[in-house]
Amino acid sequence: MSALIEFQGFNKFFGEQQVLKDIDLSVESGEVVVILGPSGCGKSTLLRCLNGLEVAHSGHLRFAGRELLDKATDWRQVRQNVGMVFQSYHLFPHMNVLDNILLGPLKVQKREPREARAQAEKLLERVGLSDKRDAFPRQLSGGQQQRIAIVRSLCMNPQVMLFDEVTAALDPEMVKEVLEVIQGLARDGMTLLIVTHEMAFARAVADRVVFMEAGRILEQNTPEEFFTNPQTARAQQFLEKFSFVSTLPKKTKELELL
């Protein structure tokens, strides 16, 4: 069985600076992969290449068996299957919550309004925000806006979700409500690629941890092995900054966050 996502000999440059170097990474359908590493190591760029927001320069990138670096690739179609949620919420301030969510399904996918609205309302209920469907972004907390951003992406029915430091802009008390939504997706068996600095969350939710440094993947392992027995000196050094890491909960997908 072929992987859902496959990077092979994948390289990316910004001008003369190479930011991704010979990336080899495969992700199976239903797998939760957490990407860790210091700031500037290429984690976010890797996700953005998968979503077509950055242009790759060499190598291969396949999604569901299709080569995405082909010049004929319709990235607009790809993005319907590869949802992405960013650190910033990117909600339209002049539209209420429900209209923000329905914009893609109605305008891009041309779905039947009643069916799309029913799905949107079901997803809002799932994240505990049914009562906010008529609210505008300015009336929501940061955690609420981020949960709406997740619902907006899920309403496109993607095959995989990418999360790029989605809690970085949130106050600590708002982090838990967002991470709980992502945990729910993991429990449901959705394919997830997650860039995060939340170590407890990473260990609890991941099927596999990928550690990057200076544009390269230095090691990949189960969360248990990575957090208790990292294989490279650089990963050991990275984890030493988190003095509590040895006491973090093991993978449960039912983590009592924070």
Side-chain angles (χ1 to χ4, degrees):
M1 179 177 173
S2 61
L4 179 63
I5 299 164
E6 185 177 14
F7 293 87
Q8 186 176 29
F10 188 86
N11 297 283
K12 165 69 181 173
F13 291 81
F14 287 133
E16 295 183 356
Q17 180 185 7
Q18 188 172 4
V19 293
L20 293 175
K21 304 171 184 177
D22 296 318
I23 298 293
D24 290 320
L25 176 65
S26 296
V27 180
E28 302 293 333
S29 180
E31 190 175 14
V32 179
V33 175
V34 173
I35 304 173
L36 302 178
S39 297
C41 71
K43 307 183 300 293
S44 295
T45 301
L46 186 68
L47 293 193
R48 291 172 66 87
C49 287
L50 179 55
N51 199 249
L53 298 175
E54 298 290 353
V55 178
H57 291 90
S58 64
H60 297 279
L61 171 55
R62 303 180 184 92
F63 178 73
R66 179 181 178 183
E67 175 61 68
L68 296 186
L69 301 191
D70 190 304
K71 292 182 179 180
T73 296
D74 182 354
W75 281 103
R76 185 175 179 180
Q77 181 64 40
V78 172
R79 291 186 191 110
Q80 294 184 46
N81 292 299
V82 182
M84 188 165 184
V85 183
F86 304 86
Q87 177 177 331
S88 299
Y89 326 120
H90 297 307
L91 300 178
F92 292 105
H94 63 288
M95 301 173 68
N96 67 25
V97 163
L98 193 58
D99 288 341
N100 262 285
I101 295 169
L102 291 176
L103 185 63
L106 297 183
K107 299 297 184 182
V108 177
Q109 295 180 327
K110 309 297 183 183
R111 286 163 56 187
E112 196 278 318
R114 183 179 299 178
E115 178 269 332
R117 183 185 180 96
Q119 183 185 14
E121 292 182 342
K122 184 176 181 179
L123 287 168
L124 282 172
E125 181 178 0
R126 173 174 178 168
V127 301
L129 293 175
S130 294
D131 60 330
K132 301 296 184 182
R133 66 180 185 178
D134 296 320
F136 287 84
R138 66 179 180 274
Q139 298 172 307
L140 306 176
S141 70
Q144 289 171 335
Q145 289 188 63
Q146 194 61 285
R147 281 183 283 166
I148 296 302
I150 294 172
V151 166
R152 180 179 57 183
S153 190
L154 288 174
C155 208
M156 298 289 284
N157 296 317
Q159 290 179 259
V160 59
M161 285 285 288
L162 314 178
F163 293 97
D164 186 14
E165 294 286 11
V166 294
T167 61
L170 300 179
D171 292 334
E173 63 267 25
M174 298 178 184
V175 170
K176 181 178 179 180
E177 61 193 38
V178 174
L179 296 185
E180 284 177 340
V181 173
I182 301 175
Q183 276 188 266
L185 298 178
R187 286 194 298 269
D188 290 347
M190 190 166 197
T191 309
L192 307 177
L193 271 72
I194 304 168
V195 169
T196 185
H197 282 103
E198 300 285 345
M199 294 297 115
F201 173 67
R203 183 168 182 179
V205 79
D207 294 313
R208 178 160 43 113
V209 172
V210 173
F211 179 75
M212 294 184 65
E213 163 73 6
R216 297 185 185 277
I217 294 177
L218 293 192
E219 62 179 282
Q220 304 181 48
N221 217 326
T222 65
E224 176 67 13
E225 282 298 309
F226 177 77
F227 283 108
T228 61
N229 187 33
Q231 299 301 298
T232 63
R234 184 63 186 93
Q236 293 174 23
Q237 183 184 34
F238 175 79
L239 291 174
E240 284 173 359
K241 297 179 180 179
F242 305 93
S243 59
F244 60 92
V245 78
S246 63
T247 64
L248 293 178
K250 297 180 181 180
K251 182 178 183 293
T252 65
K253 295 188 179 175
E254 295 289 349
L255 173 65
E256 289 294 330
L257 292 163
L258 303 181

